[in-house]
Amino acid sequence: MKTQSLAMAVLAALPKVLAITPEEMLSANRYSDAVPNPSGEFALFTVSNYSFETGESASWWNKLDLTTGDISVWTTSTDISEVVFVGPNPTSIIYVNGTNAEGDGGISLYSADANSLEDATLIGSLPAPYSGLKAVQTASGDIHFLVYTKAYPNGTAYNEALASTPRSTGRLYNTIYVRHWDTWLTAEKNAVFGGVIKGANGSYALAGELTNYVTGICNVTCAESPYDQSDQSDYDISPDGSTVVFLTKDTSLPLANYTADVIYVVPFDGTKDDATPINARGSTSYPDAQGAATSPRFSPSGKHIAYFQMNGINYESDRNILYVADVDSENFNVTSLAHDWDRSPDSLVWAKDSETIFVAAPDLGRERIFPIPLSADDSYVPKNITNEGVTAGFYVLPDDSLLVSDSKIWTSRDIYAVTPEGEVTKTYFQANLVDAGLKGLGPEDVSEFYFSTNTSEIDQQAWIVYPEGFDESKTYPLAFITHGGPQGAHFNSWSTRWNFKVWADQGYVVIAPNPTASSGWGQNLTDAIQGRWGSYPYWDLVHAWQYVNSTLKYVDTANGIEAGASFGGYMTNWIQGHEMGRWFKALVTHDGSTSTLNQYASEELWFMNHDFSGPFTEQGFKAGSPYYDWNPLLHVDQWATPHFVVHNELDYRLPVSEGILLFNLLQTHGVPSRLLSFPDENHWVLNRENSLVWHTEIFKWINYYSGISNATSPY
Ligand SMILES: *[C@@H]1O[C@H](CO)[C@@H](O)[C@H](O)[C@H]1NC(C)=O
Ligand SMILES: *[C@@H]1O[C@H](CO)[C@@H](O)[C@H](O)[C@H]1NC(C)=O
Ligand SMILES: *[C@@H]1O[C@H](CO)[C@@H](O)[C@H](O)[C@H]1NC(C)=O
Ligand SMILES: *[C@@H]1O[C@H](CO)[C@@H](O)[C@H](O)[C@H]1NC(C)=O
Ligand SMILES: *[C@@H]1O[C@H](CO)[C@@H](O)[C@H](O)[C@H]1NC(C)=O
Ligand SMILES: *[C@@H]1O[C@H](CO)[C@@H](O)[C@H](O)[C@H]1NC(C)=O
Ligand SMILES: *[C@@H]1O[C@H](CO)[C@@H](O)[C@H](O)[C@H]1NC(C)=O
Ligand SMILES: *[C@@H]1O[C@H](CO)[C@@H](O)[C@H](O)[C@H]1NC(C)=O
Ligand SMILES: *[C@@H]1O[C@H](CO)[C@@H](O)[C@H](O)[C@H]1NC(C)=O
Ligand SMILES: *[C@@H]1O[C@H](CO)[C@@H](O)[C@H](O)[C@H]1NC(C)=O
Ligand SMILES: *[C@@H]1O[C@H](CO)[C@@H](O)[C@H](O)[C@H]1NC(C)=O
Ligand SMILES: *[C@@H]1O[C@H](CO)[C@@H](O)[C@H](O)[C@H]1NC(C)=O
């Protein structure tokens, strides 16, 4: 174990470079959230970075001493993929080793003391690539744990490394929903498994087979938990190890049409046949609660399970409402807390006394933490206890305060402690103060404004991000960035895909507006997008742009560019065919939609069915149907502004043909254009080398057309 202070080591090597380049942003450290041990002595978090010189990444675990604030390297072993605090002492851990001695594609579990990791002992091997470890110590001293992996339809865990390869690659489907995100669906589905580790006080051994609680709960569809691309946030184990809770899509409904979830409770030593739904549709006192659910969590007392659920049965962006189920009561006596609060929280943590639930919710461009007492009635309005940033994770410390990890536009990770009353008592870490690539970034790089528009009673917000060395008496070309979703928002958070400061430091003032559909300003603003893709948000962007044009004298709108991904790419294509298209010197569409007709080539049909106010088969392709009215293709004769197109082959949300269609039409129409496509990327560009090419080529294009560069060509 190394004890050298990481912060010191990095500081000494700081070069005096201020503007952040794509290379610096992409190679800089990336941090997980910091998880404290049960006594609050220290917290562990992972770090990884990348060298463009060697093409290699490095990753390790850090240990943050919560008393002194010292940060040291805990281990550089890349074998350790997960750690949970469980066992006789507050420093006892069990970790997942992502490999095992058999080398069969499975994993192994080890027990250790976090203060003497070198003495770790092997508990046992599991013959499949399980992850998502949750574990508690029972009264007997045994440890009960949960993990998940894919399972065959017969319930046996699936291990790709051992599976035989069929001679044909054909895929056959009888019902829709054949692929999701970047993966074609197969018969193997995620399942939560429970296991027992016998032997208290360190001499542990795996006892018996793991129990699959999920596979076989089937009706119209079969249960899957965690759901598809989700993770261990979809299940939990009670503090005494006696009970398991997990959620799955409602098995009485077809998967492609509905987002409804059912949460099941099952005895730890039970089977799928013992699984009882908490929130089957219509079974609670909340008949409207029909939609997607998330985050079932046992209270520390074990008496309650808190979770979120939306109302809309085919909507993924409805308001999350917080519910609490009584584990011991007949029918679980589900009650809601702060039912009418006009925010949509998406993560939760119980207070130690089980009387308060801390939730994090999008709020005015930040993701803030709010305590909600169990006594909260429908009209209770929670008060935030954090302010800037977007929360990545938060945990209750023994003194009842929270250890919060978040990020901001100017820092990739801050770690601090805050009391339940909102007083920040200790700031442990600020990445922008220690990471060489982030040097010079700070809150002064960012501002915001509210503008009035003709679609909402409330004013709408936009972020301003200034370039390095910003001088208000000079002018800088506008970089106008449109967000995806459309339900979603531009937040005060760090991004490695759309990092506003990296764009600004090319020499732009970045304006990132939050128009109709944005989350964090109440559900009405979010919901107003339905059936209105080409009207409300477009009008809002016009208003935001006009505000900038008339108010922010340091912004050179005449040489501005616009860029967006996903819905933002759709909007860019819409802008290209409308008046606003002529206000920009260049446009960038990343994985957008070119023909709304093709939206039915997407995977999550409920999304289109909701956003375009009904399925295509009902709406048809005629005037008055949102599929028709908001189709960018109808305006192809107006296209004129130089346009950079990115579309990736593994994008099944918006298939690559959308980008090719856009590029083909731009080229046949004589509009300067360029196509960039990655065969190994999905809706996002994640590989750092690919991302560097993405940044380099897009910046060449926009810097040429905005006049920032003196290059003689945009290539
Ligand atoms: C990544 O982190 C390692 C360990 O701290 C350090 O030696 C290396 O210089 C870092 N690389 C980059 C590109 O920051
Ligand atoms: C992880 O497992 C491998 C294979 O059994 C073993 O060689 C290695 O030492 C283990 N590492 C740790 C940190 O447990
Ligand atoms: C379950 O199915 C898989 C794949 O067909 C097979 O390898 C495995 O032996 C089966 N398990 C049981 C318990 O039948
Ligand atoms: C475990 O150790 C504690 C004290 O360290 C002791 O009280 C307890 O009896 C031990 N349990 C077993 C099962 O050995
Ligand atoms: C299966 O779904 C149908 C509705 O499609 C419902 O009537 C029936 O009760 C369900 N059965 C089970 C076991 O959930
Ligand atoms: C699911 O959606 C498809 C396509 O719109 C439709 O044909 C089918 O009737 C829907 N099924 C249900 C149960 O709503
Ligand atoms: C159900 O929960 C509510 C709110 O906690 C409580 O007032 C009520 O007494 C409970 N009812 C039953 C039957 O337990
Ligand atoms: C709560 O949010 C407001 C903005 O709505 C902010 O001014 C305030 O500082 C936040 N409170 C705390 C305790 O962080
Ligand atoms: C949301 O819209 C509904 C229907 O127009 C209205 O009754 C309600 O007052 C609005 N809510 C807010 C918070 O503006
Ligand atoms: C709202 O404003 C936009 C942009 O100025 C304009 O095109 C649109 O017609 C306006 N809508 C209404 C209903 O007035
Ligand atoms: C932007 O502002 C300039 C200067 O005030 C004005 O001349 C121009 O018409 C405005 N552009 C648009 C599209 O409103
Ligand atoms: C562009 O050319 C001008 C005049 O030659 C020079 O001052 C400026 O630094 C150049 N800018 C870039 C980005 O090369």
Side-chain angles (χ1 to χ4, degrees):
M1 183 163 52
K2 295 181 187 168
T3 51
Q4 176 201 22
S5 163
L6 188 75
M8 296 284 285
V10 176
L11 266 176
L14 281 185
K16 194 89 183 103
V17 179
L18 289 177
I20 182 164
T21 63
E23 288 91 332
E24 286 171 321
M25 182 274 287
L26 292 167
S27 56
N29 290 345
R30 299 181 184 187
Y31 305 90
S32 71
D33 57 351
V35 183
N37 79 321
S39 59
E41 291 164 64
F42 63 91
L44 300 178
F45 60 99
T46 62
V47 193
S48 68
N49 67 15
Y50 184 78
S51 163
F52 281 102
E53 270 167 36
T54 63
E56 282 169 12
S57 58
S59 63
W60 65 97
W61 288 80
N62 272 352
K63 185 178 180 188
L64 163 62
D65 185 316
L66 291 172
T67 312
T68 62
D70 288 345
I71 293 175
S72 55
V73 175
W74 182 57
T75 177
T76 53
S77 168
T78 50
D79 295 337
I80 301 181
S81 54
E82 298 177 32
V83 175
V84 297
F85 292 103
V86 63
N89 305 311
T91 52
S92 304
I93 59 167
I94 288 181
Y95 67 80
V96 175
N97 181 332
T99 66
N100 62 17
E102 294 76 16
D104 61 2
I107 62 151
S108 46
L109 297 177
Y110 283 74
S111 68
D113 186 294
N115 290 329
S116 53
L117 192 55
E118 60 282 5
D119 300 328
T121 54
L122 175 69
I123 299 172
S125 277
L126 295 172
Y130 293 96
S131 61
L133 179 66
K134 293 197 175 185
V136 295
Q137 189 163 29
T138 66
S140 72
D142 289 353
I143 286 170
H144 287 183
F145 68 93
L146 302 179
V147 284
Y148 78 91
T149 195
K150 288 205 180 300
Y152 288 108
N154 65 12
T156 302
Y158 169 71
N159 183 349
E160 191 181 10
L162 300 181
S164 57
T165 311
R167 291 190 183 180
S168 161
T169 54
R171 306 174 173 118
L172 272 171
Y173 298 90
N174 301 323
T175 55
I176 53 178
Y177 206 68
V178 301
R179 57 185 199 174
H180 189 221
W181 193 246
D182 56 11
T183 307
W184 288 82
L185 301 195
T186 62
E188 294 80 42
K189 305 286 177 205
N190 285 334
V192 184
F193 290 78
V196 177
I197 297 170
K198 286 270 181 207
N201 297 358
S203 55
Y204 291 126
L206 282 169
E209 298 291 307
L210 303 196
T211 305
N212 176 340
Y213 302 109
V214 179
T215 309
I217 301 179
C218 290
N219 192 333
V220 175
T221 54
C222 288
E224 172 168 35
S225 185
Y227 174 60
D228 201 4
Q229 313 275 327
S230 188
D231 55 23
Q232 63 263 38
S233 68
D234 282 5
Y235 58 84
D236 200 15
I237 185 166
S238 65
D240 67 358
S242 68
T243 315
V244 173
V245 62
F246 65 88
L247 68 78
T248 166
K249 288 292 156 201
D250 188 330
T251 58
S252 66
L253 296 170
L255 263 184
N257 299 42
Y258 297 101
T259 52
D261 281 299
V262 175
I263 297 173
Y264 288 95
V265 169
V266 53
F268 178 81
D269 54 8
T271 70
K272 65 180 173 54
D273 299 324
D274 304 319
T276 325
I278 291 184
N279 66 331
R281 278 177 301 124
S283 77
T284 69
S285 329
Y286 301 89
D288 290 344
Q290 308 249 335
T294 38
S295 304
R297 289 289 171 279
F298 279 99
S299 62
S301 68
K303 290 194 162 66
H304 292 113
I305 295 167
Y307 64 93
F308 299 116
Q309 189 165 17
M310 300 180 186
N311 285 347
I313 195 167
N314 66 348
Y315 189 20
E316 60 182 348
S317 304
D318 206 349
R319 187 164 63 86
N320 264 330
I321 297 171
L322 177 62
Y323 293 94
V324 172
D326 185 339
V327 178
D328 300 320
S329 160
E330 212 180 319
N331 298 325
F332 298 103
N333 190 24
V334 169
T335 43
S336 71
L337 304 184
H339 183 278
D340 302 336
W341 182 37
D342 197 13
R343 287 293 182 267
S344 188
D346 49 26
S347 61
L348 70 86
V349 169
W350 282 90
K352 271 189 318 174
D353 66 3
S354 300
E355 293 296 326
T356 297
I357 298 167
F358 296 97
V359 302
D363 183 45
L364 311 181
R366 289 81 172 164
E367 172 104 358
R368 294 183 165 127
I369 298 175
F370 301 77
I372 305 183
L374 279 195
S375 58
D377 62 12
D378 285 358
S379 63
Y380 184 84
V381 181
K383 281 199 178 57
N384 59 301
I385 60 167
T386 63
N387 189 21
E388 292 300 346
V390 166
T391 310
F394 54 108
Y395 301 86
V396 176
L397 293 167
D399 69 357
D400 291 322
S401 61
L402 299 177
L403 185 69
V404 182
S405 302
D406 69 14
S407 78
K408 304 176 177 89
I409 289 171
W410 59 85
T411 174
S412 60
R413 177 63 72 238
D414 283 357
I415 303 173
Y416 62 94
V418 62
T419 67
E421 291 75 39
E423 189 197 342
V424 175
T425 50
K426 193 129 192 180
T427 300
Y428 289 110
F429 184 73
Q430 292 171 281
N432 58 321
L433 301 187
V434 291
D435 286 354
L438 278 59
K439 185 172 167 57
L441 306 191
E444 64 282 359
D445 298 330
V446 178
S447 180
E448 65 185 317
F449 63 88
Y450 278 80
F451 59 96
S452 68
T453 172
N454 59 356
T455 65
S456 60
E457 282 177 14
I458 57 168
D459 284 353
Q460 295 179 7
Q461 187 257 15
W463 294 104
I464 310 176
V465 182
Y466 306 105
E468 206 50 55
F470 175 73
D471 177 347
E472 207 175 1
S473 67
K474 297 189 174 149
T475 65
Y476 304 85
L478 165 68
F480 197 73
I481 301 183
T482 308
H483 72 66
Q487 298 89 353
H490 284 314
F491 286 102
N492 181 12
S493 65
W494 186 257
S495 174
T496 53
R497 293 184 291 111
W498 287 84
N499 187 295
F500 299 147
K501 187 56 177 153
V502 167
W503 284 65
D505 281 354
Q506 294 293 304
Y508 297 92
V509 168
V510 169
I511 301 290
N514 279 310
T516 293
S518 297
S519 45
W521 284 270
Q523 195 61 31
N524 281 359
L525 189 71
T526 308
D527 289 348
I529 186 72
Q530 189 179 28
R532 298 190 178 118
W533 273 30
S535 57
Y536 278 27
Y538 176 75
W539 297 346
D540 297 334
L541 295 176
V542 167
H543 282 83
W545 186 92
Q546 278 169 343
Y547 177 96
V548 172
N549 190 48
S550 61
T551 314
L552 306 181
K553 295 302 169 203
Y554 51 80
V555 182
D556 172 9
T557 45
N559 290 298
I561 64 94
E562 190 274 348
S566 196
F567 174 83
Y570 160 86
M571 181 48 70
T572 302
N573 301 341
W574 185 255
I575 286 171
Q576 174 67 286
H578 289 81
E579 186 189 8
M580 215 185 175
R582 311 293 78 78
W583 299 348
F584 297 108
K585 288 282 197 238
L587 302 172
V588 181
T589 291
H590 173 103
D591 287 42
S593 159
T594 304
S595 168
T596 40
L597 173 65
N598 298 344
Q599 287 286 359
Y600 250 64
S602 181
E603 3 85 297
E604 296 181 340
L605 292 187
W606 68 72
F607 173 68
M608 293 321 304
N609 293 349
H610 174 273
D611 268 39
F612 284 2
S613 309
F616 184 77
T617 41
E618 281 169 26
Q619 294 284 350
F621 199 53
K622 54 183 186 295
S625 157
Y627 293 91
Y628 180 88
D629 290 349
W630 309 132
N631 194 350
L633 277 192
L634 291 183
H635 308 277
V636 67
D637 56 325
Q638 304 296 313
W639 294 7
T641 302
H643 202 143
F644 193 101
V645 182
V646 186
H647 216 121
N648 303 324
E649 279 191 53
L650 290 182
D651 186 1
Y652 300 160
R653 172 113 332 151
L654 294 169
V656 65
S657 51
E658 289 298 280
I660 295 169
L661 174 62
L662 175 61
F663 182 61
N664 286 352
L665 285 169
L666 286 162
Q667 292 270 319
T668 44
H669 205 59
V671 181
S673 44
R674 207 169 185 213
L675 174 71
L676 172 64
S677 179
F678 296 101
D680 50 349
E681 300 282 358
N682 53 33
H683 204 48
W684 297 338
V685 174
L686 298 178
N687 174 293
R688 288 165 171 99
E689 295 286 350
N690 288 344
S691 185
L692 183 58
V693 170
W694 185 95
H695 281 91
T696 305
E697 298 307 327
I698 288 176
F699 286 167
K700 267 198 253 169
W701 185 265
I702 62 173
N703 293 352
Y704 171 80
Y705 285 106
S706 66
I708 280 182
S709 80
N710 293 334
T712 52
S713 139
Y715 302 155

